[in-house]
Amino acid sequence: MKTFQVTITNEWFNASEKLIAVVQQLYDLRTALLKTKSLEGYKAYCNCYAKMNALLRKITKTETANVMLCKVERGICWILELDYLEDGDSPIEIYGWPSIEELNEEGLDTLKGENITVVRLDEELEDNDEDGFIEELVDEFE
């Protein structure tokens, strides 16, 4: 799996229960996609991923074309803006997102300005592709 480094340009925290529920649903959809590897699931996830980016921009009142990612940690939604333009090609994900405890152990109280490793979802799927799913994706989008 090819990974690459990007810089985190901004960071927010949000305790909205509605946002946390939506983030969890997106995570559940991603988990289902990785298990089923269906074309419809991939399209649904990409659509939801794009909508989540738009929602995060509204919540943070940020006008940017950069990728926005989030996860739930300790009942709070942790939102990051990456120095990576949303190209609409394939969703990207943070590979090994640290926990608050890991940050504290390193003496950090924020990820802003730090580099983090990311992976494209299609790359992650390709690494575990034994059924020809990626070929099906390529055929669909060509």
Side-chain angles (χ1 to χ4, degrees), residues 5-109:
Q5 295 277 309
V6 296
T7 303
I8 297 167
T9 57
N10 220 330
E11 172 181 56
W12 300 266
F13 295 92
N14 189 305
S16 164
E17 290 180 11
K18 289 180 182 179
L19 176 60
I20 290 168
V22 170
V23 171
Q24 187 59 50
Q25 288 174 357
L26 184 63
Y27 178 80
D28 292 346
L29 181 59
R30 178 194 172 278
T31 301
L33 169 62
L34 293 176
K35 287 182 181 177
T36 63
K37 295 182 183 171
S38 77
L39 184 57
E40 294 78 21
Y42 183 80
K43 289 178 181 178
Y45 181 79
C46 289
N47 185 37
C48 291
Y49 174 89
K51 288 180 180 178
M52 177 60 81
N53 263 274
L55 176 64
L56 293 174
R57 287 182 188 102
K58 284 183 181 180
I59 289 169
T60 60
K61 298 176 176 68
T62 303
E63 293 185 28
T64 181
N66 289 344
V67 171
M68 306 279 286
L69 297 177
C70 62
K71 81 167 188 171
V72 175
E73 170 107 8
R74 294 184 182 175
I76 295 176
C77 186
W78 190 358
I79 305 168
L80 300 177
E81 177 188 353
L82 307 181
D83 186 19
Y84 185 83
L85 292 177
E86 177 62 64
D87 58 12
D89 191 25
S90 177
I92 68 165
E93 301 177 334
I94 294 176
Y95 187 75
W97 192 319
S99 68
I100 297 291
E101 290 83 13
E102 291 168 332
L103 284 183
N104 290 337
E105 287 172 8
E106 294 182 28
L108 299 172
D109 59 358

